[in-house]
Coordinates of all heavy atoms in Angstrom, one line a residue:
M1313 N 76.4 112.1 98.1 CA 75.6 111.5 97.1 C 75.0 110.2 97.6 O 73.9 110.0 97.3 CB 76.5 111.2 95.8 CG 75.6 110.7 94.7 SD 76.4 110.0 93.3 CE 77.1 111.5 92.5
I1314 N 75.7 109.3 98.3 CA 75.2 108.1 98.8 C 74.1 108.4 99.9 O 73.1 107.8 99.9 CB 76.3 107.3 99.4 CG1 77.3 106.8 98.3 CG2 75.8 106.1 100.2 CD1 78.6 106.1 98.8
L1315 N 74.4 109.4 100.7 CA 73.4 109.8 101.7 C 72.1 110.3 101.1 O 71.0 109.9 101.6 CB 73.9 110.8 102.6 CG 73.1 111.3 103.8 CD1 72.7 110.1 104.7 CD2 73.7 112.3 104.7
E1316 N 72.2 111.0 100.0 CA 71.0 111.5 99.3 C 70.2 110.3 98.8 O 69.0 110.2 98.9 CB 71.4 112.4 98.1 CG 71.8 113.7 98.5 CD 72.3 114.6 97.3 OE1 71.6 114.4 96.2 OE2 73.2 115.4 97.5
Y1317 N 71.0 109.3 98.2 CA 70.3 108.1 97.7 C 69.6 107.3 98.8 O 68.4 106.9 98.6 CB 71.3 107.2 96.9 CG 70.8 105.8 96.6 CD1 70.0 105.7 95.5 CD2 71.0 104.7 97.4 CE1 69.5 104.4 95.1 CE2 70.5 103.5 97.1 CZ 69.7 103.4 96.0 OH 69.2 102.1 95.6
L1318 N 70.2 107.1 99.9 CA 69.7 106.4 101.0 C 68.4 107.1 101.6 O 67.5 106.5 102.0 CB 70.8 106.1 102.1 CG 71.9 105.2 101.7 CD1 72.9 105.1 102.8 CD2 71.3 103.8 101.4
T1319 N 68.5 108.4 101.7 CA 67.4 109.2 102.2 C 66.2 109.1 101.3 O 65.1 108.9 101.7 CB 67.8 110.7 102.3 OG1 68.9 110.7 103.2 CG2 66.7 111.5 102.9
N1320 N 66.4 109.2 100.0 CA 65.4 109.1 98.9 C 64.8 107.6 99.1 O 63.5 107.6 99.0 CB 66.0 109.3 97.5 CG 64.8 109.3 96.5 OD1 63.8 109.9 96.7 ND2 65.1 108.7 95.4
E1321 N 65.6 106.6 99.1 CA 65.0 105.2 99.2 C 64.2 105.1 100.4 O 63.1 104.4 100.4 CB 66.2 104.2 99.2 CG 66.8 104.0 97.8 CD 65.8 103.4 96.8 OE1 65.2 102.4 97.1 OE2 65.6 104.1 95.7
A1322 N 64.6 105.6 101.6 CA 63.9 105.5 102.8 C 62.5 106.2 102.7 O 61.6 105.8 103.5 CB 64.7 106.1 104.0
E1323 N 62.4 107.3 101.9 CA 61.2 107.9 101.8 C 60.2 107.2 100.9 O 59.0 107.5 100.9 CB 61.4 109.4 101.3 CG 62.2 110.2 102.3 CD 62.5 111.5 101.7 OE1 62.3 111.8 100.5 OE2 63.1 112.4 102.4
Q1324 N 60.6 106.3 100.0 CA 59.8 105.7 99.1 C 59.1 104.5 99.7 O 59.6 103.8 100.7 CB 60.6 105.0 97.9 CG 61.4 106.1 97.2 CD 60.5 107.1 96.4 OE1 59.5 106.7 95.8 NE2 60.8 108.4 96.5
E1325 N 57.8 104.3 99.3 CA 57.1 103.1 99.8 C 57.7 101.9 99.2 O 58.0 101.8 98.0 CB 55.6 103.2 99.4 CG 54.8 102.1 99.9 CD 53.3 102.3 99.6 OE1 53.0 102.1 98.4 OE2 52.5 102.7 100.4
Q1326 N 58.0 100.9 100.1 CA 58.6 99.6 99.7 C 57.6 98.5 99.9 O 56.8 98.6 100.9 CB 59.9 99.4 100.3 CG 61.0 100.5 100.1 CD 61.5 100.5 98.7 OE1 61.7 99.4 98.1 NE2 61.7 101.7 98.2
L1327 N 57.7 97.4 99.2 CA 56.9 96.2 99.4 C 57.5 95.4 100.5 O 58.8 95.1 100.4 CB 56.9 95.4 98.1 CG 56.4 94.0 98.2 CD1 54.9 94.0 98.7 CD2 56.5 93.3 96.9
V1328 N 56.8 95.0 101.5 CA 57.3 94.1 102.5 C 56.5 92.8 102.3 O 55.3 92.8 102.4 CB 57.0 94.7 104.0 CG1 57.5 93.7 105.0 CG2 57.8 96.0 104.1
L1329 N 57.3 91.7 102.0 CA 56.6 90.4 101.8 C 57.0 89.5 103.0 O 58.2 89.3 103.2 CB 57.1 89.9 100.5 CG 56.6 88.6 100.0 CD1 55.0 88.8 99.8 CD2 57.1 88.2 98.7
M1330 N 56.0 89.1 103.8 CA 56.3 88.3 104.9 C 55.7 86.9 104.9 O 54.6 86.7 104.3 CB 55.7 89.0 106.2 CG 56.4 90.3 106.4 SD 55.9 91.2 108.0 CE 54.3 90.6 108.3
L1331 N 56.5 85.9 105.3 CA 56.1 84.6 105.5 C 55.4 84.5 106.9 O 56.1 84.7 107.9 CB 57.2 83.7 105.3 CG 56.9 82.1 105.3 CD1 56.0 81.8 104.2 CD2 58.2 81.4 105.2
E1332 N 54.1 84.1 107.0 CA 53.5 84.1 108.3 C 53.6 82.7 108.8 O 53.3 81.7 108.1 CB 52.0 84.5 108.1 CG 51.9 86.0 107.7 CD 50.5 86.6 107.7 OE1 49.6 85.9 107.2 OE2 50.4 87.6 108.4
G1333 N 53.8 82.6 110.1 CA 53.8 81.3 110.8 C 55.1 80.6 110.4 O 56.0 81.1 109.7
S1334 N 55.2 79.4 111.0 CA 56.5 78.6 110.7 C 56.0 77.4 109.9 O 55.2 76.6 110.4 CB 57.2 78.2 112.0 OG 56.4 77.4 112.7
Q1335 N 56.5 77.3 108.7 CA 56.1 76.2 107.8 C 57.4 75.4 107.4 O 58.3 76.0 107.0 CB 55.3 76.7 106.6 CG 54.0 77.2 106.9 CD 53.9 78.7 106.6 OE1 54.8 79.3 106.2 NE2 52.7 79.3 106.8
D1336 N 57.3 74.1 107.6 CA 58.4 73.3 107.2 C 58.2 72.9 105.7 O 57.1 72.6 105.3 CB 58.5 72.0 108.0 CG 58.9 72.2 109.5 OD1 59.7 73.2 109.6 OD2 58.5 71.5 110.4
V1337 N 59.3 72.9 104.9 CA 59.2 72.6 103.5 C 60.4 71.6 103.3 O 61.4 71.7 103.9 CB 59.3 73.8 102.6 CG1 58.1 74.7 102.8 CG2 60.7 74.5 102.8
G1338 N 60.1 70.7 102.4 CA 61.2 69.7 102.2 C 61.0 69.1 100.8 O 59.9 69.1 100.1
L1339 N 62.1 68.6 100.2 CA 62.2 68.1 98.9 C 61.1 66.9 98.8 O 61.1 66.1 99.7 CB 63.6 67.6 98.5 CG 64.6 68.7 98.4 CD1 66.0 68.1 98.2 CD2 64.3 69.7 97.3
G1340 N 60.5 66.8 97.7 CA 59.5 65.8 97.5 C 58.2 65.9 98.2 O 57.5 64.9 98.4
Q1341 N 58.0 67.0 98.9 CA 56.8 67.2 99.7 C 55.9 68.3 99.2 O 56.2 69.1 98.4 CB 57.1 67.6 101.1 CG 58.0 66.6 101.8 CD 58.4 67.0 103.3 OE1 58.1 68.1 103.7 NE2 59.0 66.1 104.0
R1342 N 54.6 68.3 99.6 CA 53.7 69.4 99.3 C 53.9 70.5 100.4 O 54.0 70.3 101.6 CB 52.2 68.9 99.5 CG 51.2 69.9 99.0 CD 50.3 69.2 97.9 NE 49.4 70.3 97.5 CZ 49.4 70.9 96.3 NH1 50.4 70.6 95.5 NH2 48.5 71.7 96.0
A1343 N 54.0 71.7 99.8 CA 54.2 72.9 100.8 C 53.0 73.8 100.7 O 52.2 73.8 99.8 CB 55.4 73.7 100.2
H1344 N 52.8 74.4 101.9 CA 51.7 75.4 102.1 C 52.4 76.6 102.8 O 52.9 76.5 103.9 CB 50.5 74.8 103.0 CG 49.5 75.8 103.2 ND1 48.4 75.9 102.4 CD2 49.4 76.8 104.1 CE1 47.7 76.9 102.8 NE2 48.2 77.5 103.9
L1345 N 52.3 77.7 102.0 CA 52.8 79.0 102.5 C 51.8 80.0 102.6 O 51.0 80.3 101.7 CB 53.9 79.5 101.5 CG 55.2 78.5 101.3 CD1 56.1 79.2 100.3 CD2 55.8 78.1 102.6
D1346 N 51.8 80.7 103.8 CA 50.9 81.8 104.0 C 51.7 83.1 103.9 O 52.7 83.3 104.8 CB 50.2 81.7 105.4 CG 49.2 80.5 105.4 OD1 48.4 80.4 104.5 OD2 49.2 79.8 106.4
L1347 N 51.4 84.0 103.0 CA 52.2 85.2 102.8 C 51.3 86.4 103.0 O 50.1 86.3 102.9 CB 52.8 85.2 101.4 CG 53.6 84.0 101.0 CD1 53.7 83.8 99.6 CD2 55.0 84.1 101.6
K1348 N 52.0 87.5 103.3 CA 51.3 88.8 103.5 C 52.2 89.9 102.8 O 53.4 89.9 103.1 CB 51.1 89.1 105.0 CG 50.3 90.4 105.1 CD 49.9 90.6 106.6 CE 49.1 91.8 106.8 NZ 48.7 92.1 108.1
A1349 N 51.6 90.8 102.1 CA 52.3 91.8 101.4 C 51.7 93.2 101.9 O 50.5 93.4 101.9 CB 52.0 91.8 99.9
T1350 N 52.7 94.0 102.5 CA 52.3 95.3 103.1 C 53.2 96.4 102.7 O 54.3 96.1 102.1 CB 52.2 95.2 104.6 OG1 53.5 94.9 105.1 CG2 51.2 94.3 105.2
S1351 N 52.8 97.7 102.9 CA 53.6 98.8 102.7 C 54.6 99.0 103.8 O 54.2 98.9 105.0 CB 52.7 100.1 102.5 OG 53.5 101.2 102.7
S1352 N 55.8 99.4 103.5 CA 56.8 99.5 104.4 C 56.5 100.9 105.2 O 57.0 101.0 106.4 CB 58.2 99.7 103.8 OG 58.2 100.8 102.9
K1353 N 55.8 101.8 104.6 CA 55.5 103.1 105.3 C 54.3 103.1 106.2 O 54.3 103.5 107.3 CB 55.4 104.2 104.2 CG 56.8 104.5 103.6 CD 56.7 105.7 102.7 CE 57.0 106.8 103.7 NZ 57.5 108.1 103.0
S1354 N 53.2 102.5 105.6 CA 51.9 102.5 106.3 C 51.5 101.2 107.0 O 50.7 101.2 107.8 CB 50.8 103.0 105.3 OG 50.6 101.9 104.3
G1355 N 52.1 100.1 106.5 CA 51.8 98.9 107.0 C 50.4 98.3 106.4 O 50.0 97.2 106.7
E1356 N 49.9 99.1 105.4 CA 48.6 98.7 104.8 C 48.9 97.7 103.8 O 50.0 97.5 103.2 CB 48.0 99.9 104.1 CG 47.5 101.0 105.1 CD 46.4 100.6 105.9 OE1 45.4 100.0 105.4 OE2 46.5 100.8 107.1
P1357 N 47.9 96.8 103.6 CA 48.0 95.7 102.6 C 48.3 96.3 101.2 O 47.7 97.3 100.8 CB 46.6 95.0 102.6 CG 46.0 95.4 103.8 CD 46.6 96.8 104.2
L1358 N 49.1 95.6 100.4 CA 49.4 96.0 99.0 C 48.7 95.1 98.0 O 49.2 94.1 97.6 CB 50.8 96.1 98.8 CG 51.6 97.2 99.5 CD1 53.1 97.1 99.2 CD2 51.1 98.6 99.1
T1359 N 47.4 95.4 97.8 CA 46.6 94.6 96.9 C 47.2 94.6 95.6 O 47.7 95.6 95.0 CB 45.1 95.2 96.8 OG1 44.6 95.3 98.2 CG2 44.2 94.4 96.0
G1360 N 47.1 93.5 94.8 CA 47.6 93.4 93.5 C 49.1 92.9 93.4 O 49.6 92.8 92.3
T1361 N 49.7 92.7 94.6 CA 51.1 92.2 94.5 C 51.1 90.9 93.9 O 50.4 89.9 94.3 CB 51.7 92.2 95.9 OG1 51.6 93.5 96.5 CG2 53.1 91.6 95.9
E1362 N 52.0 90.6 93.0 CA 52.1 89.3 92.3 C 53.3 88.6 93.0 O 54.4 89.1 93.1 CB 52.5 89.5 90.8 CG 51.4 90.3 90.1 CD 50.7 89.5 89.1 OE1 51.0 88.3 88.8 OE2 49.6 90.0 88.7
V1363 N 53.0 87.4 93.5 CA 54.0 86.5 94.1 C 54.4 85.3 93.3 O 53.5 84.7 92.7 CB 53.4 86.1 95.5 CG1 54.4 85.2 96.2 CG2 53.1 87.3 96.4
T1364 N 55.7 85.0 93.3 CA 56.2 83.9 92.5 C 57.1 83.1 93.5 O 57.9 83.6 94.2 CB 57.0 84.3 91.3 OG1 56.2 85.1 90.5 CG2 57.6 83.1 90.6
V1365 N 56.9 81.7 93.5 CA 57.8 80.8 94.2 C 58.7 80.1 93.1 O 58.1 79.4 92.3 CB 57.0 79.8 95.1 CG1 58.0 78.9 95.8 CG2 56.2 80.5 96.1
K1366 N 59.9 80.3 93.3 CA 60.8 79.6 92.3 C 61.8 78.8 93.0 O 62.2 79.1 94.2 CB 61.6 80.7 91.5 CG 62.5 80.2 90.4 CD 63.3 81.3 89.7 CE 62.4 82.3 89.1 NZ 63.3 83.3 88.4
M1367 N 62.2 77.6 92.4 CA 63.2 76.7 93.0 C 64.4 76.8 92.1 O 64.3 76.7 90.9 CB 62.7 75.3 93.0 CG 63.7 74.3 93.6 SD 62.9 72.7 93.7 CE 64.3 71.7 94.2
I1368 N 65.6 77.1 92.7 CA 66.9 77.1 92.0 C 67.6 75.9 92.6 O 67.5 75.5 93.7 CB 67.6 78.4 92.2 CG1 67.9 78.8 93.6 CG2 66.8 79.5 91.5 CD1 68.9 79.9 93.8
S1369 N 68.5 75.4 91.7 CA 69.3 74.3 92.1 C 70.6 74.2 91.4 O 70.7 74.8 90.3 CB 68.5 73.0 91.7 OG 69.2 71.8 91.8
T1370 N 71.6 73.5 92.0 CA 72.9 73.4 91.3 C 72.8 72.2 90.3 O 73.7 72.1 89.5 CB 74.0 73.0 92.3 OG1 73.6 71.9 93.1 CG2 74.2 74.2 93.2
A1371 N 71.7 71.3 90.4 CA 71.6 70.2 89.5 C 70.6 70.4 88.4 O 70.7 69.7 87.4 CB 71.1 69.0 90.3
D1372 N 69.6 71.4 88.4 CA 68.7 71.6 87.4 C 68.5 73.1 87.1 O 69.0 74.0 87.8 CB 67.3 71.1 87.9 CG 67.2 69.6 88.0 OD1 67.7 68.9 87.0 OD2 66.7 69.1 89.0
E1373 N 67.8 73.3 86.0 CA 67.4 74.7 85.7 C 66.4 75.3 86.7 O 65.7 74.5 87.3 CB 66.8 74.8 84.3 CG 67.8 74.4 83.1 CD 68.9 75.4 83.0 OE1 68.6 76.7 83.0 OE2 70.1 75.0 82.9
P1374 N 66.4 76.6 86.9 CA 65.4 77.2 87.8 C 64.0 76.9 87.3 O 63.8 76.8 86.1 CB 65.6 78.7 87.7 CG 67.0 78.8 87.2 CD 67.2 77.6 86.4
R1375 N 63.0 76.7 88.2 CA 61.7 76.4 87.7 C 60.7 77.2 88.7 O 60.9 77.2 89.9 CB 61.3 75.0 87.7 CG 61.7 74.1 88.9 CD 61.2 72.7 88.7 NE 62.4 71.8 88.8 CZ 62.4 70.6 88.8 NH1 61.3 69.9 88.7 NH2 63.6 69.9 88.8
V1376 N 59.6 77.6 88.1 CA 58.6 78.3 88.9 C 57.7 77.2 89.4 O 57.1 76.4 88.7 CB 57.8 79.3 88.0 CG1 56.6 79.8 88.8 CG2 58.6 80.5 87.5
L1377 N 57.4 77.2 90.7 CA 56.6 76.2 91.4 C 55.2 76.7 91.6 O 54.3 75.9 91.7 CB 57.2 75.8 92.7 CG 58.6 75.2 92.6 CD1 59.2 74.7 94.0 CD2 58.7 74.0 91.7
A1378 N 55.0 78.0 91.9 CA 53.7 78.6 92.2 C 53.7 80.1 91.9 O 54.7 80.7 92.0 CB 53.3 78.3 93.6
T1379 N 52.6 80.6 91.5 CA 52.4 82.0 91.4 C 50.9 82.4 91.9 O 50.1 81.5 92.0 CB 52.4 82.5 89.9 OG1 51.4 81.8 89.1 CG2 53.8 82.2 89.3
G1380 N 50.8 83.6 92.3 CA 49.5 84.1 92.8 C 49.5 85.6 93.0 O 50.5 86.2 93.0
E1381 N 48.3 86.1 93.2 CA 48.1 87.5 93.5 C 47.5 87.7 94.9 O 46.5 87.0 95.1 CB 47.3 88.2 92.4 CG 47.2 89.7 92.6 CD 46.5 90.3 91.4 OE1 46.8 90.0 90.3 OE2 45.5 91.1 91.6
V1382 N 48.0 88.6 95.8 CA 47.4 88.8 97.1 C 46.0 89.3 97.0 O 45.7 90.0 96.0 CB 48.3 89.6 98.0 CG1 49.7 89.1 98.1 CG2 48.4 91.1 97.4
S1383 N 45.2 89.1 98.0 CA 43.8 89.5 98.0 C 43.8 91.0 98.6 O 44.8 91.5 98.9 CB 43.0 88.6 98.9 OG 43.6 88.6 100.3
D1384 N 42.6 91.4 98.8 CA 42.4 92.8 99.2 C 42.9 93.1 100.6 O 43.3 94.1 100.9 CB 40.9 93.2 99.3 CG 40.3 93.3 97.9 OD1 41.1 93.5 96.9 OD2 39.0 93.2 97.7
D1385 N 43.1 92.0 101.4 CA 43.7 92.1 102.8 C 45.2 91.9 102.7 O 45.8 91.8 103.8 CB 43.0 91.2 103.8 CG 43.2 89.7 103.5 OD1 43.8 89.4 102.5 OD2 42.8 88.9 104.3
G1386 N 45.8 91.8 101.6 CA 47.3 91.6 101.4 C 47.7 90.2 101.7 O 49.0 90.0 101.7
R1387 N 46.9 89.2 101.7 CA 47.3 87.9 102.1 C 47.2 86.9 100.8 O 46.3 87.2 100.0 CB 46.4 87.3 103.1 CG 46.6 88.1 104.5 CD 45.8 87.5 105.6 NE 45.8 88.3 106.8 CZ 46.7 88.4 107.7 NH1 47.7 87.6 107.6 NH2 46.7 89.2 108.7
L1388 N 48.0 85.9 100.9 CA 48.0 84.9 99.8 C 48.4 83.6 100.5 O 49.4 83.4 101.1 CB 48.9 85.3 98.6 CG 49.2 84.3 97.6 CD1 47.9 84.0 96.8 CD2 50.2 84.7 96.6
A1389 N 47.6 82.5 100.2 CA 48.0 81.1 100.6 C 48.3 80.4 99.3 O 47.6 80.4 98.3 CB 46.9 80.5 101.3
L1390 N 49.5 79.8 99.3 CA 50.0 79.1 98.1 C 50.3 77.6 98.5 O 50.8 77.4 99.6 CB 51.3 79.6 97.5 CG 51.2 81.0 96.8 CD1 52.6 81.4 96.4 CD2 50.3 80.8 95.6
E1391 N 49.8 76.7 97.7 CA 50.1 75.3 97.9 C 50.8 74.7 96.6 O 50.3 75.0 95.4 CB 48.9 74.5 98.2 CG 48.4 74.7 99.6 CD 47.4 73.6 100.1 OE1 47.6 72.4 99.7 OE2 46.4 74.0 100.7
F1392 N 51.8 74.0 96.7 CA 52.6 73.5 95.6 C 53.5 72.3 96.0 O 53.7 72.1 97.2 CB 53.5 74.6 95.0 CG 54.3 75.3 95.9 CD1 55.7 74.8 96.1 CD2 53.9 76.4 96.7 CE1 56.5 75.5 97.0 CE2 54.8 77.0 97.7 CZ 56.0 76.4 97.7
D1393 N 53.9 71.5 95.0 CA 54.8 70.4 95.2 C 56.2 70.9 95.0 O 56.5 71.6 94.1 CB 54.4 69.3 94.3 CG 53.0 68.6 94.6 OD1 52.8 68.5 95.8 OD2 52.3 68.4 93.7
I1394 N 57.1 70.4 95.9 CA 58.5 70.7 95.8 C 59.1 69.4 95.2 O 59.0 68.3 95.9 CB 59.1 71.0 97.2 CG1 58.4 72.3 97.7 CG2 60.6 71.3 97.0 CD1 58.9 72.6 99.1
P1395 N 59.8 69.5 94.0 CA 60.3 68.4 93.4 C 61.4 67.7 94.3 O 62.1 68.5 95.0 CB 60.9 68.8 92.1 CG 60.2 70.1 91.9 CD 59.9 70.7 93.2
Y1396 N 61.6 66.4 94.2 CA 62.6 65.6 94.9 C 63.9 65.7 94.0 O 63.7 65.6 92.7 CB 62.2 64.2 95.2 CG 63.3 63.4 95.8 CD1 63.5 63.6 97.2 CD2 64.1 62.6 95.1 CE1 64.6 63.0 97.8 CE2 65.2 61.9 95.7 CZ 65.4 62.1 97.0 OH 66.4 61.4 97.7
Q1397 N 65.0 65.9 94.6 CA 66.2 65.9 93.8 C 67.2 64.9 94.5 O 67.3 64.9 95.8 CB 66.9 67.3 93.8 CG 66.2 68.3 93.0 CD 66.9 69.6 92.9 OE1 66.4 70.5 93.3 NE2 68.2 69.5 92.5
E1398 N 67.9 64.1 93.7 CA 68.8 63.2 94.3 C 70.2 63.8 94.6 O 70.9 63.2 95.4 CB 68.9 62.0 93.4 CG 67.6 61.2 93.4 CD 67.8 59.8 93.0 OE1 68.9 59.2 93.1 OE2 66.8 59.1 92.7
R1399 N 70.5 64.8 93.9 CA 71.8 65.4 94.0 C 71.7 66.9 93.9 O 70.7 67.5 93.5 CB 72.8 64.9 92.9 CG 72.4 65.2 91.5 CD 73.3 64.6 90.5 NE 73.1 64.7 89.1 CZ 72.6 65.7 88.3 NH1 72.1 66.7 89.0 NH2 72.5 65.6 87.0
G1400 N 72.8 67.6 94.3 CA 72.8 69.1 94.3 C 72.3 69.7 95.5 O 71.7 69.1 96.4
T1401 N 72.3 71.1 95.4 CA 71.8 71.9 96.5 C 70.6 72.7 95.9 O 70.8 73.2 94.7 CB 72.9 72.8 97.1 OG1 73.9 72.0 97.5 CG2 72.4 73.6 98.1
S1402 N 69.6 73.0 96.6 CA 68.5 73.8 96.1 C 68.0 74.8 97.1 O 68.3 74.7 98.3 CB 67.4 72.9 95.6 OG 66.9 72.1 96.7
A1403 N 67.3 75.8 96.6 CA 66.7 76.8 97.4 C 65.4 77.3 96.8 O 65.2 77.2 95.6 CB 67.7 78.0 97.6
L1404 N 64.5 77.7 97.7 CA 63.2 78.4 97.2 C 63.5 79.8 97.3 O 64.0 80.3 98.4 CB 62.0 78.0 98.1 CG 61.5 76.6 98.0 CD1 60.3 76.4 99.0 CD2 61.2 76.2 96.6
I1405 N 63.0 80.5 96.3 CA 63.0 82.0 96.3 C 61.6 82.5 96.0 O 61.0 82.1 95.1 CB 64.0 82.6 95.2 CG1 65.4 82.0 95.4 CG2 63.9 84.1 95.2 CD1 66.4 82.4 94.3
I1406 N 61.2 83.2 97.0 CA 59.8 83.8 97.0 C 59.9 85.3 96.7 O 60.6 86.1 97.5 CB 59.1 83.6 98.3 CG1 59.0 82.1 98.7 CG2 57.6 84.2 98.2 CD1 58.6 81.8 100.0
T1407 N 59.3 85.7 95.6 CA 59.5 87.2 95.2 C 58.0 87.8 95.1 O 57.1 87.0 94.8 CB 60.3 87.3 93.9 OG1 59.6 86.6 92.9 CG2 61.7 86.9 94.1
G1408 N 58.0 89.0 95.4 CA 56.8 89.8 95.2 C 57.0 91.0 94.3 O 58.1 91.6 94.5
A1409 N 56.1 91.3 93.5 CA 56.3 92.5 92.6 C 55.0 93.3 92.6 O 53.9 92.7 92.4 CB 56.8 92.1 91.3
L1410 N 55.1 94.6 92.7 CA 54.0 95.6 92.5 C 54.6 96.7 91.7 O 55.7 97.0 91.9 CB 53.6 96.1 93.9 CG 52.4 96.9 94.1 CD1 51.1 96.1 93.6 CD2 52.2 97.4 95.5
V1411 N 53.8 97.3 90.9 CA 54.3 98.5 90.1 C 55.0 99.4 91.0 O 54.6 99.9 92.0 CB 53.2 99.1 89.4 CG1 53.7 100.3 88.6 CG2 52.5 98.2 88.4
G1412 N 56.4 99.6 90.6 CA 57.1 100.6 91.4 C 57.9 100.0 92.7 O 58.5 100.8 93.4
S1413 N 57.7 98.8 93.0 CA 58.3 98.2 94.1 C 58.4 96.7 93.9 O 57.8 96.0 93.1 CB 57.4 98.4 95.3 OG 58.0 98.0 96.5
S1414 N 59.4 96.1 94.7 CA 59.5 94.7 94.8 C 60.1 94.2 96.1 O 60.7 95.0 96.8 CB 60.4 94.1 93.6 OG 61.7 94.6 93.7
G1415 N 59.9 92.9 96.4 CA 60.5 92.4 97.6 C 60.7 90.9 97.4 O 60.3 90.3 96.5
A1416 N 61.5 90.3 98.3 CA 61.9 89.0 98.2 C 62.1 88.3 99.5 O 62.5 89.0 100.5 CB 63.1 88.7 97.3
I1417 N 61.8 87.1 99.6 CA 62.1 86.2 100.7 C 63.0 85.1 100.2 O 62.6 84.5 99.3 CB 60.9 85.6 101.4 CG1 59.9 86.6 101.9 CG2 61.3 84.6 102.6 CD1 58.6 86.1 102.3
L1418 N 64.1 85.0 100.8 CA 65.0 83.8 100.4 C 64.9 82.8 101.5 O 65.1 83.1 102.7 CB 66.5 84.3 100.3 CG 66.8 85.4 99.3 CD1 68.2 85.9 99.3 CD2 66.3 85.0 98.0
S1419 N 64.8 81.6 101.0 CA 64.6 80.4 102.0 C 65.6 79.3 101.6 O 65.9 79.1 100.5 CB 63.2 79.9 101.9 OG 63.0 78.8 102.7

């Protein structure tokens, strides 16, 4: 049963969300992220993918910092401010969603 599930999942087209280049991000700074959304099977751009950048923290409630939709070539550039925090631990979570598929980058 598990093998059937894994085989079925491997046959399905999945969203691949990639962070292009190396970008440094830091608390209290402006961030610029270049993203690309493609198909796991064909490598073709997945137009219409909705991308969300969310910040989670041990000190505050989760907050959405940026959203956008990839262009026809599967690319999206996002610029946003990362709030400064005096205490706690935080992380950026970048997610992408397309009807029937989803992907995430954890940073």
